[in-house]
Amino acid sequence: MTTGPVRASSEWLRLREAADAAARASELVEKVRSYLPTHGAAAIHDLGCGTGSMARSLAVRLPGPQHWVMYDRDDELLTLAAADPPDRASDGTPVTMETRRRDITRMELVELAGAALITASALLDMMTAEELERLVATCAGADCPVLIALSVTGRVEITPAEPFDQSVTDAFNAHQRRTTSAGKLLGPDAVGAAVDGFTRLGLEVLVRPSPWRLGPGHAALSAAWFTGWLAGACKQRPELRAHAPSYARRRLAQAAAGHLSVTVHHQDLLVRPR
């Protein structure tokens, strides 16, 4: 069955923003600092910006004046990003921002001219192999560092564990690789495909873990993640629906009581410039 394009809701993006910021690989952010220009504002292009969480998280960790160029194909998300821009860099210098409505899978290299850094977050797993290949080629041609955060790996750990967890994990991973109107999504295979693509073009890629670690202080996010995770699994494998209601009641009760811990594994990658 073919489904429509993947879209992240603004509510989901807001709910996960703090967990995303905590999970991003600090080591790669530190390495990015050394690549930024020492004079003038650094032009940072954020692809698939959503509500702007990557800019808000990263701008305050990077030094010097910055100008963020935010791309998304969703007008609602661009409006929200523009309404809540990053304020200051780590050294107190100003940060400016503009938004551009664009399908980032069809960007031209000229649009990235002068970029000091290209960023993206929670993006690769929602792309097809063809879309990713085009994006990799465009980013590589910009000849600047590329920082891509929070791509899912397909690994989930839930405490306390239940036997049904693995069945849901396998079904959800299959759902992540479903066929949409754009083609078959990469899902958990996206990081490996991106690394292979950049490496074939002669670029060095660093990969680091960036897991969500959700505990008692993340009850709302844990419940929302679990609900979407289970729904995706059941959509992919309808036979799971017989056990899903009782499973969901137990897990959501555990989350509400602060007794559920979830680790959702992601990976960040940094593509070093030539």
Side-chain angles (χ1 to χ4, degrees):
M1 181 177 67
T2 300
T3 62
V6 179
R7 182 187 184 276
S9 73
S10 58
E11 293 80 9
W12 169 244
L13 295 177
R14 287 294 193 192
L15 187 59
R16 64 178 287 171
E17 182 167 344
D20 285 352
R24 292 187 181 107
S26 297
E27 176 191 347
L28 299 186
V29 174
E30 288 303 309
K31 292 183 183 298
V32 164
R33 294 167 63 97
S34 67
Y35 294 121
L36 296 182
T38 55
H39 301 287
I44 303 175
H45 293 246
D46 189 35
L47 310 183
C49 68
T51 61
S53 63
M54 183 69 158
R56 287 189 292 272
S57 170
L58 193 58
V60 295
R61 300 173 67 183
L62 299 177
Q66 304 160 38
H67 179 69
W68 284 74
V69 185
M70 316 285 281
Y71 299 86
D72 208 286
R73 64 187 177 189
D74 190 309
D75 284 326
E76 178 198 355
L77 298 182
L78 286 175
T79 298
L80 291 171
D84 190 11
D87 183 22
R88 296 277 169 177
S90 62
D91 57 0
T93 50
V95 175
T96 57
M97 188 185 80
E98 65 177 283
T99 61
R100 297 180 185 177
R101 188 176 186 275
R102 194 74 170 90
D103 179 352
I104 57 95
T105 68
R106 299 188 178 278
M107 291 183 65
E108 301 292 338
L109 180 57
V110 66
E111 297 177 80
L112 299 174
L117 172 66
I118 297 169
T119 64
S121 184
L123 175 69
L124 299 188
D125 46 277
M126 298 190 293
M127 302 179 75
T128 68
E130 182 181 0
E131 289 171 339
L132 181 59
E133 183 178 6
R134 287 197 301 264
L135 186 66
V136 164
T138 302
C139 291
D143 196 27
C144 69
V146 182
L147 179 65
I148 303 177
L150 294 165
S151 296
V152 296
T153 69
R155 288 182 58 213
V156 171
E157 299 169 41
I158 304 179
T159 304
E162 291 193 17
F164 198 54
D165 297 342
Q166 191 58 52
S167 297
V168 178
T169 297
D170 293 342
F172 183 78
N173 288 343
H175 181 67
Q176 290 288 88
R177 298 182 177 102
R178 69 192 180 277
T179 298
T180 70
S181 55
K184 188 175 187 295
L185 302 181
L186 285 165
D189 305 319
V191 170
V195 172
D196 288 346
F198 282 114
T199 302
R200 282 197 303 272
L201 295 174
L203 296 171
E204 181 186 4
V205 185
L206 303 179
V207 180
R208 298 292 184 269
S210 53
W212 275 359
R213 301 190 188 279
L214 309 181
H218 306 92
L221 178 57
S222 295
W225 168 84
F226 174 84
T227 300
W229 180 67
L230 181 59
C234 289
K235 186 177 290 187
Q236 186 69 27
R237 296 186 182 161
E239 66 272 19
L240 298 180
R241 290 174 181 162
H243 300 284
S246 59
Y247 178 67
R249 282 194 296 272
R250 287 193 304 276
R251 288 312 202 185
L252 292 175
Q254 290 167 342
H259 298 155
L260 190 72
S261 296
V262 180
T263 300
V264 183
H265 290 273
H266 303 88
Q267 288 181 318
D268 291 4
L269 61 85
L270 173 63
V271 184
R272 299 193 191 216
R274 293 183 177 88

